Amino acid sequence: MTTGLIPGGQTPDPRPSSTRPPHQRGDLTGQGALHVDDRPRSSVITARAAASFEPVGRSVATARSFVRDTLHGWGFADIIDDAVVLTSELVTNAVVHAGTHADVLCLRSADGVRIEVSDRYPEREIPLQGSLATMGSPDREGGRGLQLCAAIAGRWGVEYTPTHKQVWFQLDLPDRPVGTRTAGPSLPADLLPLADSRVRVAVVQIDRTGAISAWNEDAEELFGYSADQVTGKPLTDLAAWPHTPGTSTGIVEALQLSRWEGSYGIRGANGRVTPVYASHLRVRDTDGEPSTVCLLVRDHERAVLQTPSRGPASDPATTSDGQNADPFEVFIGSPAPDDLDGLLQRTVERARDMLDGDSAFLLLATDDETELEVRASTGLPSARQRFARVPVEAGPGRYGSARMPAVHEDLLAVPGAVPLLNGTGMRSVVTVPLKVEGRLTGSLGVAAEASGRYSNEEALRLQFAADRIALAVESARLGELERLRRGSLSFLVEASDLLAGTLDRDQTLALMAQMTVPTLATWCAVYTIADQASDPYLSYVLHEDEEFIDGIKSLLSKIAPPDPVPTPGARVWAAPAAAAHDAALRSSMRSLGLTGGPTHQVASGIGPTLATASAVGGETVVLPLVARNRVIGMLTLGKPTDEHFRQEILELAEDLSRRAALALDNARLYSERTAISQALQRSLLPPELPEIDGVEVEVIYRAAGEGNEVGGDFYDVFPISDGAYGFAIGDVCGTGPNAAAVTGLARHALRLLAREGLSGPAVLERLNSAILDEGARSRFLTLLYGEMRPQEDGSAELKVVCAGHPLPLRLRQDGTVEAAAEPQPLLGVMEDLELYEQTVTLDPGDVLLCVTDGVTERREGTRMLGDDGLADVLTTCTGLTAGAVAARIMRAVERFASDAPSDDMAILAMRVA
């Protein structure tokens, strides 16, 4: 390994000294030769951060952001600019010029920071002899990185391996007063940030799994939970984190970052969401176990934790070396955030700071420029304002100043001029439009609590900034929309698959709710309508926190359901929020004894009531469930207190509601068909079996399929005359309505003909004629019919006709099995049948077993149970009751094959006692 070092430099080595090969001292000759520094390295590495970047252009900006965030987290703000410049040049050399991955390693020591940039193109060498001036020209696109290292870094060097080239540089910390990291000017008291008299900073520690491991006293005061209540619970259970499918960073990802800073909400013990400003720092203990320390303050006290913005240069139009700077980077800072939310949030914060305002906001226009949607704000209750929509055109409650710069010196004189600021205490405001190629894309505004703060001069300054960022904002917005559309398409595909996978109504309702919560809404309710004459019925309620479900269900059951309007699209439903507000107000009044009743009787119920009010008190929208030109229900989506839906989410919910409505209607139709089929199937079987003196009778019937088809197998046992009983078991070809018609005809005709005193052959011959008379609807039928007469000696005499059916088997007491009849032609095929009956006498203890072909034709691959297999099983049933015989036969049939039966099965067992 060859190493080149600047004279006098020493490098903190991240590797143990025992494994690091000694540097080779080279014989460098020539003027300006570089000398290797072999002095011992005594600096101790106290922290490190590493990242790898792909060989694409955007990696350079990502690497700059990585180094900046890392050094911010370490408290080395003084050297961030130099580190970012050098890293940018070296990563550019790797990913742009060399075309390889770039690995960046940041190492912290007591006296500075060492940053190593490695690429995978070791053939690109640098001269170790001669003047540094030969390394590159300032006018060339490449080659400046090493010159900058030589000019800026305290120490730097290049190391080679067979597969990598590594350029490193070290920046020493400047001398500064002990304990001072950053400072601001002295300000009058009225210009200081506003905070409560007692500022509380919640300190929450999150372990590797995301669970809370520490919770200080200020956290208890701010959010109402004791440490015992939250220790071990995931922070995600308490955090109200804004989430949009396909975009943004989730709280789980944020907790894994080395450092994160921003705003979200914490759900308190009273159910209300407290907006907080948070600073997260990822640390590790002495055993190497990582955890995240979260510092939280109320959002309006963010100045306590918020990292100060870098001050602007004296001349914002030029850089320190006199070159022109990009106006966008002058306003936003470099690097610009990659995501839209980050860009918009930094925009409003810089706009507020630029005009020394108390708040700022940015709204984005819809595609038709008729409405503006709040996307970012600072100094305002963001949870209430985010995604709120206001019309653009002039009028009461409308945003009339969106298309041109406007200054309002006192909003009290023109109430409603900027609806976003109603009730916020802001008095003066300046707003400017964001336009791209003459099209309105958004509006940027800065407001102050004092009146008369802004003039046309501030409007021009803000408009200049808006013009610089409008294209970047529109580009980021289009990128977000594309990601959202891709995420929405994936979401809808998955939803369609899930909804198509079931025909159960209750499961469909559950799937509808589970797909919307929490992806699209915080809570959801599904109303169903049985028919046009019925009122909507609350069928399903779901909330992302199960503890709120019963409260929401109770609240919704007390108010009238939404009107079943078939008009497509989401419409706002104000009734739940109003009812929640009234319920919370009544509970609060009762708890204070204002109604004259005892307070202790209602104190236990006030908590759930207030929590439910907070959960339901936000925006609620209703989407109709329309299938086959009929409203079959409504899908209701809700947000917690003061939250709004964004338009893209509502459009996605509308697409989902169309799919869900069709799936729900299909489930309804399937349920109705199944109920009809089951009722018809029951009508084809006897309601109960008669009791026969001296004879045990047992029947087992198993219908194949999902219960949506009728027909097939049937059985019957019925009295004919005194002392005589008829029995039958048959199988109609096919399933469905036609087969069911033949089944019903056969069962009822057998009873009627047998009770007329006809013999068995005569009964079957007349039944055969009746089947043939059905014409095209006829089906052939296999049937075993017989008459039984118990005898005085304890035996039973049977007269049997087997028309194409599996033969009945007789089990004697000695265990022998034999056929009890001979095969004859089946019914429904030929007109002239010559059938005859056979007489069989069953001695006491004998068993007659009758089955349908679903039993004998049970298959496992190429094997089939068959008549012989059935006889073998019956041989083992000696001494068993009729019920035990039927049960053993059914178990043997089910165990013969692992697959579900494909045909109906009926088993009729009769044993002479």
Side-chain angles (χ1 to χ4, degrees):
M1 181 176 66
T2 304
T3 305
L5 300 175
I6 296 298
Q10 66 177 13
T11 308
D13 188 1
R15 291 163 290 189
S17 58
S18 59
T19 61
R20 182 179 177 88
H23 288 286
Q24 301 175 355
R25 183 182 299 275
D27 295 330
L28 305 178
T29 60
Q31 185 178 5
L34 304 178
H35 300 284
V36 175
D37 178 14
D38 57 359
R39 290 180 295 178
R41 296 170 169 81
S42 60
S43 298
V44 177
I45 302 301
T46 59
R48 68 182 65 209
S52 182
F53 303 95
E54 298 179 353
V56 293
R58 66 175 181 273
S59 293
V60 178
T62 308
R64 289 198 300 262
S65 179
F66 163 71
V67 171
R68 181 182 300 279
D69 292 342
T70 299
L71 298 190
H72 259 306
W74 290 348
F76 291 165
D78 297 332
I79 60 174
I80 285 179
D81 291 340
D82 291 342
V84 168
V85 169
L86 296 180
T87 302
S88 178
E89 288 293 333
L90 296 180
V91 174
T92 300
N93 290 340
V95 302
V96 177
H97 301 304
T100 75
H101 283 72
D103 300 320
V104 179
L105 174 64
C106 301
L107 303 172
R108 183 183 71 184
S109 61
D111 54 354
V113 172
R114 167 174 165 140
I115 298 179
E116 301 176 356
V117 180
S118 302
D119 64 45
R120 304 170 190 178
Y121 194 60
E123 294 83 356
R124 296 177 61 89
E125 300 181 358
I126 65 167
L128 296 181
Q129 301 181 14
S131 172
L132 287 174
T134 64
M135 287 192 294
S137 169
D139 297 328
R140 294 175 55 195
E141 180 182 359
R144 294 195 299 265
L146 300 176
Q147 281 187 318
L148 289 174
C149 288
I152 297 176
R155 289 171 292 278
W156 70 280
V158 182
E159 298 179 356
Y160 290 95
T161 69
T163 58
H164 290 75
K165 179 185 72 180
Q166 180 190 95
V167 181
W168 61 267
F169 61 87
Q170 180 161 332
L171 299 174
D172 298 327
L173 293 177
D175 294 332
R176 57 187 177 183
V178 176
T180 300
R181 174 184 174 188
T182 183
S186 299
L187 293 176
D190 58 346
L191 297 181
L192 295 177
L194 183 64
D196 293 343
S197 58
R198 168 69 165 90
V199 176
R200 297 188 181 275
V201 180
V203 181
V204 183
Q205 193 159 3
I206 311 301
D207 63 18
R208 180 196 294 268
T209 65
I212 297 173
S213 59
W215 184 268
N216 73 339
E217 294 181 359
D218 280 357
E220 295 183 12
E221 292 294 332
L222 285 176
F223 310 124
Y225 302 104
S226 65
D228 295 338
Q229 290 178 295
V230 297
T231 300
K233 289 187 177 181
L235 181 63
T236 53
D237 289 354
L238 306 180
W241 191 273
H243 174 68
T244 301
T247 64
S248 282
T249 300
I251 186 171
V252 177
E253 293 80 4
L255 291 175
Q256 298 299 319
L257 300 177
S258 62
R259 189 173 185 87
W260 182 89
E261 191 173 318
S263 299
Y264 54 93
I266 296 291
R267 294 186 181 90
N270 60 359
R272 295 184 179 274
V273 175
T274 301
V276 298
Y277 191 83
S279 177
H280 297 176
L281 179 64
R282 190 80 164 160
V283 298
R284 61 185 174 91
D285 59 19
T286 54
D287 296 328
E289 181 68 16
S291 62
T292 302
V293 177
C294 306
L295 304 181
L296 312 173
V297 297
R298 296 182 181 92
D299 192 65
H300 67 272
E301 296 173 339
R302 61 170 56 201
V304 176
L305 298 180
Q306 191 169 24
T307 302
S309 304
R310 290 188 301 162
S314 57
D315 184 1
T318 60
T319 60
S320 58
D321 58 2
Q323 296 180 350
N324 291 332
D326 183 357
F328 173 75
E329 291 194 356
V330 170
F331 182 69
I332 293 298
S334 179
D338 294 331
D339 62 304
L340 177 62
D341 289 337
L343 176 60
L344 298 182
Q345 191 61 36
R346 187 178 294 186
T347 298
V348 296
E349 291 173 356
R350 295 295 171 87
R352 178 197 61 184
D353 296 341
M354 183 178 70
L355 298 187
D356 193 21
D358 296 312
S359 64
F361 52 89
L362 193 150
L363 302 88
L364 294 183
T366 56
D367 292 337
D368 56 4
E369 302 181 31
T370 60
E371 290 184 307
L372 291 168
E373 183 179 69
V374 180
R375 289 302 303 270
S377 63
T378 181
L380 297 174
S382 56
R384 176 172 65 89
Q385 305 293 348
R386 187 170 169 81
F387 300 126
R389 298 169 72 87
V390 292
V392 171
E393 302 303 330
R398 296 173 179 265
Y399 202 150
S401 58
R403 298 186 183 276
M404 62 185 67
V407 176
H408 296 280
E409 296 183 354
D410 192 349
L411 291 177
L412 295 181
V414 281
V418 183
L420 181 65
L421 300 179
N422 291 344
T424 61
M426 299 297 160
R427 295 283 298 276
S428 56
V429 61
V430 54
T431 61
V432 297
L434 276 68
K435 293 185 177 182
V436 175
E437 297 180 352
R439 183 172 61 87
L440 179 68
T441 61
S443 178
L444 176 64
V446 178
E449 295 180 352
S451 61
R453 284 280 298 275
Y454 302 115
S455 63
N456 289 337
E457 181 180 353
E458 283 79 10
L460 291 176
R461 291 177 60 197
L462 190 61
Q463 184 66 70
F464 179 81
D467 292 341
R468 303 285 78 76
I469 67 170
L471 185 59
V473 169
E474 180 66 5
S475 177
R477 186 184 74 88
L478 294 176
E480 182 196 63
L481 288 177
E482 180 62 25
R483 290 191 299 271
L484 182 61
R485 289 190 179 101
R486 288 199 299 267
S488 301
L489 181 60
S490 175
F491 172 78
L492 290 174
V493 169
E494 182 179 357
S496 299
D497 290 342
L498 290 173
L499 291 171
T502 179
L503 287 172
D504 182 81
R505 176 183 176 276
D506 294 338
Q507 188 173 0
T508 302
L509 289 172
L511 284 174
M512 290 170 56
Q514 292 167 5
M515 285 184 293
T516 57
V517 176
T519 304
L520 304 182
T522 306
W523 64 272
C524 165
V526 183
Y527 290 85
T528 56
I529 303 175
D531 51 62
Q532 295 181 353
S534 302
D535 294 329
Y537 174 75
L538 182 61
S539 298
Y540 202 90
V541 175
L542 183 66
H543 189 280
E544 62 181 8
D545 188 342
E546 293 183 357
E547 295 181 357
F548 292 132
I549 294 178
D550 291 339
I552 296 176
K553 188 180 299 184
S554 175
L555 180 70
L556 294 179
S557 63
K558 296 176 182 178
I559 62 177
D563 296 330
V565 178
T567 306
R571 55 191 174 90
V572 176
W573 185 30
H581 175 76
D582 293 342
L585 181 60
R586 288 194 301 270
S587 295
S588 300
M589 293 178 64
R590 288 198 303 268
S591 68
L592 298 174
L594 298 181
T595 59
T599 60
H600 66 276
Q601 295 182 359
V602 297
S604 61
I606 185 173
T609 301
L610 293 177
T612 302
S614 177
V616 185
E619 187 175 59
T620 303
V621 297
V622 177
L623 297 104
L625 298 174
V626 180
R628 298 176 175 90
N629 298 321
R630 186 174 72 88
V631 180
I632 63 171
M634 284 87 69
L635 177 64
T636 303
L637 307 180
K639 285 282 190 179
T641 302
D642 297 334
E643 290 194 21
H644 298 267
F645 288 95
R646 62 181 303 179
Q647 186 63 25
E648 291 81 5
I649 294 297
L650 295 180
E651 293 173 356
L652 180 58
E654 185 178 356
D655 286 339
L656 175 63
S657 68
R658 287 195 290 266
R659 290 164 168 80
L662 187 59
L664 184 61
D665 199 46
N666 289 339
R668 177 187 62 82
L669 295 175
Y670 178 79
S671 299
E672 292 178 357
R673 178 182 175 185
T674 301
I676 293 173
S677 298
Q678 292 174 347
L680 181 58
Q681 186 74 64
R682 287 192 297 269
S683 71
L684 301 179
L685 301 176
E688 60 184 10
L689 298 177
E691 294 184 2
I692 305 176
D693 293 337
V695 179
E696 300 174 359
V697 180
E698 183 65 29
V699 174
I700 296 180
Y701 181 83
R702 294 285 188 274
E706 300 179 0
N708 59 343
E709 293 183 345
V710 296
D713 298 0
F714 71 95
Y715 65 88
D716 199 0
V717 180
F718 56 92
I720 297 176
S721 59
D722 293 339
Y725 296 87
F727 65 90
I729 184 170
D731 186 1
V732 178
C733 173
T735 58
N738 291 334
V742 176
T743 300
L745 171 66
R747 195 176 76 83
H748 295 293
L750 285 175
R751 289 198 173 205
L752 292 173
L753 295 173
R755 288 170 177 171
E756 290 294 325
L758 298 176
S759 64
V763 169
L764 267 61
E765 289 170 359
R766 284 166 172 76
L767 176 59
N768 180 64
S769 299
I771 294 174
L772 293 176
D773 289 344
E774 293 292 311
R777 296 181 301 176
S778 66
R779 293 287 188 275
F780 66 79
L781 167 66
T782 67
L783 179 64
L784 172 66
Y785 174 74
E787 295 180 1
M788 174 186 293
R789 291 181 180 273
Q791 303 297 313
E792 293 181 356
D793 60 358
S795 64
E797 183 183 76
L798 279 67
K799 296 182 179 181
V800 182
V801 180
C802 185
H805 199 77
L807 299 179
L809 298 179
R810 175 182 181 180
L811 172 66
R812 297 182 180 272
Q813 287 183 309
D814 59 1
T816 58
V817 175
E818 61 184 8
E822 296 178 354
Q824 300 185 56
L826 51 76
L827 308 182
V829 178
M830 299 178 295
E831 293 185 359
D832 296 327
L833 290 180
E834 295 183 359
L835 301 176
Y836 58 92
E837 62 184 9
Q838 297 175 272
T839 302
V840 179
T841 300
L842 297 181
D843 297 326
D846 289 355
V847 175
L848 184 71
L849 177 67
C850 310
V851 300
T852 57
D853 59 4
V855 175
T856 56
E857 295 181 2
R858 178 74 164 145
R859 295 179 180 273
E860 173 69 18
T862 58
R863 299 186 306 120
M864 186 173 72
L865 179 63
D867 296 333
D868 294 338
L870 180 62
D872 292 340
V873 177
L874 184 59
T875 303
T876 66
C877 298
T878 304
L880 300 181
T881 64
V885 171
R888 179 170 292 186
I889 296 297
M890 179 57 69
R891 284 197 303 270
V893 172
E894 291 175 343
R895 293 173 180 173
F896 186 80
S898 58
D899 296 337
S902 59
D903 193 5
D904 297 342
M905 294 185 292
I907 299 174
L908 172 61
M910 294 183 292
R911 178 180 179 273
V912 179

